[in-house]
Amino acid sequence: MENCIFCKIANGEIPAATLYEDEDFRVILDLGPASKGHALILPKTHAANIYEMSDELAAKAMVLAKKMATVMTETLKCDGLNIVQNNGEPAGQTVFHFHMHLIPRYKNDGVGITWTPGKLTEEEKEEILAKVKA
């Protein structure tokens, strides 16, 4: 997409602090980090979300996330790491180019990626199983 900011960053048209690059992806530091070392995995080909990606590219993104998470945890000495990927505005997506957040976590960092657990009712469980189970 010609006006996609993440396409331009991923393909080197806009400078970014690049941690890693290959033929399919660029990994950059987030300009609005949740924590020290917060990075984004950006594919070089445009897909608005995970639903538009090929299975092959989605698989490569997860393998790269694991690789980067391992390196970042070792080098930044973080206590944990969140891998976050949002699809659609209700899920928190604000830039409509698939991307994965790698958020290093440090004890007492105050970064909030949590929710209040609900309760799975028997009725909901049966409904979901009937609709989704393969």
Side-chain angles (χ1 to χ4, degrees):
M1 287 190 73
E2 65 186 59
N3 291 323
C4 176
I5 187 92
F6 278 4
C7 280
K8 291 177 181 179
I9 293 169
N11 290 290
E13 296 171 40
I14 296 174
T18 299
L19 299 174
Y20 173 87
E21 182 178 9
D22 64 23
E23 63 277 357
D24 296 311
F25 298 96
R26 183 181 299 260
V27 180
I28 65 167
L29 289 176
D30 194 310
L31 291 178
S35 70
K36 179 181 176 183
H38 181 167
L40 300 174
I41 295 176
L42 306 175
K44 292 183 175 181
T45 57
H46 185 80
N49 49 48
I50 198 165
Y51 313 116
E52 293 184 5
M53 291 182 75
S54 69
D55 289 350
E56 179 184 62
L57 196 60
K60 285 182 178 181
M62 186 53 80
V63 170
L64 179 55
K66 179 184 181 282
K67 175 181 178 175
M68 293 303 301
T70 301
V71 169
M72 292 169 71
T73 299
E74 291 172 357
T75 58
L76 297 174
K77 308 295 185 212
C78 54
D79 301 306
L81 188 134
N82 290 111
I83 299 172
V84 178
Q85 198 281 307
N86 304 317
N87 295 285
E89 193 174 339
Q93 186 177 13
T94 58
V95 179
F96 295 90
H97 177 110
F98 173 92
H99 57 287
M100 296 175 79
H101 294 263
L102 302 172
I103 305 172
R105 299 303 303 273
Y106 305 91
K107 287 187 175 132
N108 302 314
D109 63 13
V111 175
I113 302 175
T114 60
W115 54 87
T116 303
K119 175 90 169 120
L120 179 63
T121 66
E122 189 65 27
E123 183 179 303
E124 274 189 333
K125 178 182 83 173
E126 293 304 323
E127 176 191 349
I128 293 165
L129 287 172
K131 290 180 177 177
V132 180
K133 189 173 179 180

